[in-house]
Amino acid sequence: MQFAAGNLTMPFPDKYCILGISVTLLLLALGILAWQVFRCCSQKYTTYTRQDTVNNDQLYSDEKSGTARIYSGAPSTRVENVNTEVRRLSRCLSQASLPSSGSVQADGEMEEQANNKKVEGTLRFSIYYDQLQSQLVVTVLQVEGLLEQSPTRTLQPFVKLRLMWSNSEEVEVEECTDEEGEGTAPVLWKVLQECRTRIVKGSCNPLFGDQFSCPLLEEKQLHHINLRMEVRDFDKFSRHSVLGEVRVPLGRLNISYPLELQEDLMIPQKDLVGKVLLSLKILPTSQRLEVGLLKVRTAHSEISDAALCARISVQCNQSKLRYMKTSAVARCLVTVFNEVAMFSLPEFPLEQCKIVVSVYEMRTAKKSPKHLIGQLTVGKEKSSEDKHWSVMMCSVRQPIAKWHGLLI
């Protein structure tokens, strides 16, 4: 037993040798770990500085000078080098790969080509003003010559009618000038009545025969009214595509007796129904966007208990991030909201985002479905609103307010 116990005991020098080897391996592992942590931190810092410098030079200079004054000399040199490199690469790359003024012009040319596309089909209808009952009677008879939009599904056409009224005395709207600076005031329209026909499934020449009437107190109002009829393709998700439209100025027609007309479908256009004062502010550090709905100007409403509410949504790459609804405010000529919505933005260029504001009318006295008055879109897709967006991107952390047209 004593001999066996003596064999199990280890020599004195071997014990400290193993301990030394273990300590050496531990120090080596800690050194490798520290080196990897240092590399990871340095890569993140380099990526952040490069991305921040290329996207927004003002943001880089403002934030770095305020938070890290030790590197006050290095950022200026780095900004100049990166800007020089970007200008050199922008001349080599194609216009489609980088968002520039050329791409905006290309988009405008594509829109013009799309607008020049011929719309097929005709709309046959009859119109009559009944002087005894003081009402306008419109009968939608038939749509002919429509083209199939998709080989996988059949057309489901219907016709939507709008009576648009404008008073020349109330047309002038402040802050409404052309992009070139010309002081031409557009016409401000008001929707008197909306209605639509039934849906005819699977026909390119649908027959309707639906009749609609709208009360008009004075025959003089006909000179201020346009009849707008849109031929739409029904979609169960309410994304009805407009196939074409017909506009009829009633002041140019003698409708004291029933008059039957057949007009060619034209390319659909938007009408100005109001103005919206919108405020935008970008917070790049927290990646937030503030959208302020300040005022909405529309035509006078004859409904006493009418109220307005708005829905503000942010879309990035044609996908909605979230939306915010404002409270209902009593409608008047200039409806004041003064409400701000905050949106959290993802980590990709803000130039691909757009803001959609939809204004609805509802009644406060009783529960009734709200109907859309008009919409506006702010983003890089439309050149008329690029100025507001670009000024917001250049003036970080400062609210920028601008009037926008409310279209329908």
Side-chain angles (χ1 to χ4, degrees), residues 33-84:
L33 179 61
W35 171 248
Q36 293 295 333
V37 171
F38 176 76
R39 288 186 57 189
C40 181
C41 294
S42 62
Q43 288 180 358
K44 287 184 178 180
Y45 177 77
T46 304
T47 304
Y48 172 77
T49 53
R50 287 182 179 178
Q51 181 180 1
D52 198 272
T53 306
V54 174
N55 290 339
N56 198 336
D57 295 338
Q58 292 184 350
L59 174 62
Y60 184 88
S61 59
D62 293 342
E63 292 185 354
K64 295 301 178 181
S65 60
T67 57
R69 299 184 180 274
I70 300 176
Y71 306 108
S72 59
S76 61
T77 305
R78 190 176 185 83
V79 167
E80 293 178 359
N81 294 337
V82 172
N83 287 335
T84 305

Side-chain angles (χ1 to χ4, degrees), residues 188-205:
L188 184 63
W189 294 93
K190 174 185 175 183
V191 180
L192 294 179
Q193 185 173 349
E194 291 184 358
C195 50
R196 76 176 199 177
T197 64
R198 58 188 177 89
I199 301 172
V200 180
K201 297 183 179 181
S203 176
C204 293
N205 303 290

Side-chain angles (χ1 to χ4, degrees), residues 12 31 41 45 62 65 120 122 135 180 186 199 259 266 322-323 350 376 381 383:
F12 183 80
C41 294
Y45 177 77
D62 293 342
S65 60
E120 299 291 341
T122 59
Q135 63 180 5
E180 293 80 10
I199 301 172
L259 179 63
M266 306 299 293
R322 54 159 293 187
Y323 66 90
L350 294 180
L376 69 92
E381 289 80 11
S383 59

